[in-house]
Amino acid sequence: MGRLKLVIGNKNYSSWSMRPWVLLREAAIPFEEVQLKFDAAAKVRGVEAYSPTRLVPVLMIDDAPVWDSLAICETVAEMFPEKSLWPADVRARQVARSVCAEMHGGFGELRGAMPMNIRSSHPGKGMSPAVRRDIDRVCTIWQSCREHFGGGGPLLFGRFGVADAFFAPVVMRFVTYAVDLTPAAQAYADAVHALSAVREWVAAARQETEFVAADEPYAHKT
Ligand SMILES: N[C@@H](CCC(=O)N[C@@H](CS)C(=O)NCC(=O)O)C(=O)O
C-alpha cells in the first residue's frame, strides 16, 4: 500500500478539496496533508509540483498523482474495500455513483452564485430561480436516497460513504447562505454537519485568514 499525501487548497473556500479530505478522515484512513493557498485570483500557489492539471485536490500515492476529486474518492474506495465507502447493495451503489456524478458535473448555478465560504454568513445572497431549481434538485436527491437506501443510519445510504463526502460542501453552502430546506433535507444536512471529519474541517476553515477576492462576491455587501 502506497503512502498517501492529499494536496488541498484553503479549507474555507476549496469545496473540491473538502470531499476527499472528509472521506479519508471520516473513514480513519491515515494520510499526510499538504495545504497550498489560493492567491487573490483563486490560483493555487505551488500546485505545479503535484498536479498535472494545476488544480487541487490531488492525491499522491507515493509519488504518483491521482487528480480530480471523483477519481481520488474512487481510488480511495478501491484501495480500502474494508471501509465500504460505496454501498454493498448493487442498486444502492448504482444510485450512489449516479448522484456523485451528477453533483460532480452539475449544479453550476448553485456553485456560481453561492461559493463555499465556511467562515462567512451571507443569508439570502445568491438566490435566484435557477439557483432554487438546483437546490430543489439537491433536496430531491437527498430525500430519495434517504427514503430508499437510508435505513441503516442518518446518511444518504445509511452509513457514511463517498456520496456524503461529495455533498458535504453543499451542506456548507446551505449554512452560509441560510437556505431554507425541506425537513428531510435539513435532517440530512444536520447529520453531515455533525460528522467528526466535517467538524474538524470547519474548525480549521474558521481559523484561516486569507481573503480570496475571486471567491467573495458578497464581501462588504452584507
Ligand atoms: N473537477 C476538479 C475541480 C478542481 C478545482 O477546480 N479546484 C479548484 C479549487 S477548489 C482549483 O484548483 N482552482 C485553481 C485554479 O483554477 O487555478 C475536481 O473535482 O477535483
Side-chain angles (χ1 to χ4, degrees):
M1 187 74 66
R3 275 177 307 110
L4 301 184
K5 187 189 287 182
L6 184 67
V7 184
I8 61 170
N10 301 44
K11 287 181 174 159
N12 186 55
Y13 298 112
S14 187
S15 56
W16 306 94
S17 299
M18 188 181 184
R19 297 165 166 182
W21 192 97
V22 164
L23 187 74
L24 286 161
R25 185 65 106 225
E26 191 64 27
I29 296 168
F31 66 102
E32 179 189 341
E33 173 184 320
V34 175
Q35 190 182 34
L36 303 175
K37 295 294 175 97
F38 294 136
D39 64 18
K43 300 288 168 205
V44 187
R45 287 191 295 256
V47 70
E48 58 284 350
Y50 302 98
S51 173
T53 59
R54 299 186 172 231
L55 301 176
V56 287
V58 57
L59 179 70
M60 308 301 293
I61 305 177
D62 292 329
D63 292 322
V66 177
W67 59 96
D68 192 286
S69 58
L70 185 53
I72 296 169
C73 291
E74 283 282 9
T75 300
V76 168
E78 185 181 278
M79 288 175 82
F80 299 91
E82 73 281 7
K83 300 288 185 183
S84 304
L85 295 173
W86 291 115
D89 175 76
V90 171
R91 181 60 194 148
R93 197 160 64 248
Q94 291 167 351
V95 174
R97 284 204 158 99
S98 297
V99 299
C100 286
E102 183 177 346
M103 185 67 242
H104 199 58
F107 300 101
E109 298 288 343
L110 172 59
R111 281 184 212 288
M114 296 183 175
M116 194 172 91
N117 190 339
I118 289 173
R119 67 175 176 232
S120 297
S121 178
H122 297 301
K125 298 285 183 196
M127 188 58 83
S128 70
V131 171
R132 189 71 238 185
R133 276 195 294 280
D134 275 359
I135 291 167
D136 289 347
R137 174 62 193 151
V138 169
C139 290
T140 300
I141 291 171
W142 289 355
Q143 201 159 326
S144 170
C145 290
R146 292 282 309 129
E147 268 173 34
H148 292 101
F149 307 110
L155 297 171
L156 287 183
F157 296 87
R159 49 176 297 178
F160 174 78
V162 175
D164 305 301
F166 258 64
F167 282 102
V170 179
V171 169
M172 296 300 111
R173 290 175 154 100
F174 289 172
V175 173
T176 297
Y177 300 94
V179 172
D180 272 337
L181 301 175
T182 59
Q186 188 61 57
Y188 171 68
D190 293 345
V192 170
H193 217 196
L195 292 170
S196 66
V198 170
R199 284 190 278 117
E200 195 183 335
W201 177 279
V202 167
R206 290 187 182 286
Q207 297 298 314
E208 291 180 349
T209 53
E210 297 85 10
F211 180 88
V212 177
D215 285 329
E216 293 277 1
Y218 308 115
H220 315 304
K221 292 181 196 163
T222 50

